[in-house]
């Protein structure tokens, strides 16, 4: 494009009624769209001074996006302000996906544009309220959902302060923003496997939360978990059901006391609290003010309805019970059934409807800790398989989550006694071969060792009465371990045999070379007394010691690998016996390789002469590099034998 914007502006001045809404690209974009795309701020300002505000609404591309959508998605805050001042109704327009300009700013993580548009998305009145219409898309996702999905956590933190209602809002899949946050382990330190250097940098990072622009009426906001009225949506169904049955018995008790009561209370007064949770979902929440219920009749209306009642008291109570409670009960059952159907149609990860269950499964110990501290009843949350956060953590090898629960609850707590739908305890689930465990490695034998350590850790942490419990199939935890690890045991035996055979050949070769070099003394012996001629030379002493060390360690390594080959390969052998032998064999093999190289270098020092000894040192170092590289590549295997990843 030639970008002759001066000519474009002149054309708009002369024929603004004709060309203002003209589509000039394949995507049906106008000149104003292109100017915004090219960040031509001055050009945009001049065009807005020329174009009729009513015409801007008609300037949409093939995605039904007006210029404000484009400016918000590109983060052009000043252009957003100019467009809103020109036509305030632009902020409420939606594109083909049902996204408002405010939603576009959150979707692309443009904080400045979001801050510029936010003040224009409020309803002014006695108290400032936020218009939630701008915050949702057609598929049910909110600005908080997309901010977390895009990992714009600074913007998400700000959205929580400005739009606290969105914390409990679910999209069409039944997922809250907390679900999406639990799906992203990289957002938490416990979900990241950092090296020493990266961990040091992480600990040095400073996050200044004071930069969040908190409105004054949010500063004194009580905790969202301070009472049952503001309980998270995942627990609201349980509270509704408990509240319903509470008032059913209240009505029955009221009926028994009517004969002694001087006045009969109004039926609307009885039903006031029962509809509390249902009605609060259909009103606008005012932060810092008391929640007022819709449909609450005045005292005069209550009096009239009582006086007009022509039914006997028992009939009246029965009628009220049927209409108010039975109908609400069936609606509640219908809602639970719909949630069940929706959850069955989702991916297995999302059958865990509660965020704390997703976090426990993913090992996000920070989220699990905060949820349990703010809402302790979440420890009893269950997924469709009746697995609690402890059972999911045990099944998926999340050691930090299990350790957190062990610190929070004593061993006498009922959380440890929970069974899933198959009758499995936490020990049974720890005994299964977890495909989602974080320590998946290629070595089957070491995988077997780590699974055994995890099984023993869970078994020693749980109450002793769980050890003898059999699951629904009548199997103990050890029987489950043997059954689920049958394949990996075979792979582990095969890997140990092949590794031991290969290392045995190398150890035998080093032993033979070390023996031959020790028998052949450099420089020869004195014919008169048989004493080596070079005795006393430092290089000769190094040669003798290194040769002897190579011989001893290579023979030790050979015996260790032979003992592995002749093992019975019982399950308990994979815990300590076989790993210890393999560790000793590999360690002594590496030492023997190093000793053989030292012996080789010391023996050749006599042949290069005194003048070339300084020049020969770099040559020997280069020769040792290939073997040293092999040792370093296998060093990770040694570490895995010593320390498990949990």
């Amino acid at each position: 494009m030639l970008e002759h914007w001066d000519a474009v502006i002149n054309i708009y001045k002369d024929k603004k009624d004709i060309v203002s809404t003209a589509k000039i690209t394949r995507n049906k974009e106008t000149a104003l769209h292109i100017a915004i795309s090219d960040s031509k701020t001055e050009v945009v300002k001049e065009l807005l001074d020329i174009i009729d505000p009513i015409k801007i609404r008609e300037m949409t591309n093939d995605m039904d996006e007006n210029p404000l959508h484009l400016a918000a998605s590109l983060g052009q805050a000043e252009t957003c302000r100019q467009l809103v001042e020109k036509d305030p109704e632009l902020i409420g327009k939606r594109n083909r996906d049902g996204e408002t300009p405010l939603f576009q700013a959150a979707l692309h993580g443009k904080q400045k544009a979001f801050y510029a548009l936010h003040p224009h998305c409020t309803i002014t009145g006695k108290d400032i309220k936020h218009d939630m219409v701008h915050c949702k898309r057609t598929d049910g996702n909110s600005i908080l959902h997309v901010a977390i999905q895009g990992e714009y956590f600074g913007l998400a933190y700000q959205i929580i302060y400005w739009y606290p209602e969105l914390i409990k809002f679910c999209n069409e899949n039944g997922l809250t923003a907390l679900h999406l946050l639990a799906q992203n382990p990289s957002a938490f330190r416990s979900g990241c496997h950092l090296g020493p250097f990266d961990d040091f940098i992480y600990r040095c990072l400073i996050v200044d939360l004071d930069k969040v622009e908190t409105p004054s009426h949010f500063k004194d906001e009580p905790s969202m978990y301070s009472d049952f009225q503001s309980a998270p949506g995942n627990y609201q169904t349980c509270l509704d059901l408990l509240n319903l049955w509470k008032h059913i018995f209240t009505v029955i008790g009221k009926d028994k006391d009517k004969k002694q009561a001087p006045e009969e209370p109004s039926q609307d007064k009885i039903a006031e609290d029962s509809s509390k949770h249902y009605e609060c979902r259909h009103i606008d929440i005012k932060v810092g003010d008391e929640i007022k219920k819709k449909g609450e009749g005045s005292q005069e209306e209550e009096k009239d309805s009582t006086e007009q009642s022509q039914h006997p008291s028992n009939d009246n109570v029965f009628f009220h019970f049927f209409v108010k409670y039975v109908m609400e009960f069936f609606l509640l059952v219908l809602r639970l059934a719909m949630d069940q159907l929706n959850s069955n149609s989702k991916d297995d990860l999302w059958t865990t409807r509660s965020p704390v269950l997703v976090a426990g499964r993913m090992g996000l110990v920070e989220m699990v800790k905060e949820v349990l501290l703010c809402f302790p009843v979440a420890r009893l949350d269950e997924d469709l398989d009746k697995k609690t956060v402890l059972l999911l953590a045990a099944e998926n090898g999340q050691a930090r989550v299990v350790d957190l629960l062990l610190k929070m609850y004593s061993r006498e707590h009922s959380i440890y006694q929970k069974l899933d739908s198959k009758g499995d305890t936490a020990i049974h689930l720890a005994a299964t071969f977890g495909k989602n465990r974080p320590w998946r490695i290629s070595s089957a034998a070491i995988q077997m060792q780590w699974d055994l350590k995890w099984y023993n850790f869970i078994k020693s942490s749980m109450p002793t009465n769980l050890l003898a419990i059999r699951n629904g199939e009548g199997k103990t935890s050890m029987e489950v371990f043997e059954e689920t690890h049958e394949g990996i045991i075979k792979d582990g035996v095969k890997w140990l045999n092949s590794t031991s055979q290969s290392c045995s050949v190398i150890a035998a070769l080093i032993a033979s070379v070390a023996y031959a070099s020790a028998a052949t003394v450099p420089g020869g012996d004195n014919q008169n007394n048989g004493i080596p001629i070079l005795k006393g030379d430092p290089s000769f002493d190094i040669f003798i010691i290194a040769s002897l060390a190579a011989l001893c360690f290579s023979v030790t390594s050979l015996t260790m690998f032979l003992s592995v080959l002749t093992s019975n390969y019982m399950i308990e052998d994979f815990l300590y016996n076989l790993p210890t032998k393999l560790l000793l064999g590999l360690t002594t093999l590496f030492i023997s390789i190093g000793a053989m190289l030292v012996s080789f270098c010391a023996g050749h020092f006599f042949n290069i002469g005194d003048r070339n000894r300084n020049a020969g040192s770099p040559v020997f170092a280069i020769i040792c590099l290939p073997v040293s590289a092999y040792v370093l590549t296998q060093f990770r295997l040694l570490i895995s034998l010593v320390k498990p990843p949990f």
Side-chain angles (χ1 to χ4, degrees), residues 72-90:
S73 63
L74 296 177
Q76 299 178 11
E78 185 60 31
T79 302
C80 290
R81 294 189 186 96
Q82 295 173 4
L83 285 167
V84 174
E85 291 175 359
K86 194 73 173 179
D87 185 6
E89 293 189 10
L90 288 175

Side-chain angles (χ1 to χ4, degrees), residues 16-35:
K16 63 178 181 178
D17 295 334
I18 301 176
V19 301
S20 60
T21 58
K23 316 289 185 180
I24 60 177
T25 66
R26 183 176 299 178
N27 298 329
K28 299 181 180 181
E29 293 178 329
T30 64
L32 184 57
H33 284 90
I34 298 175

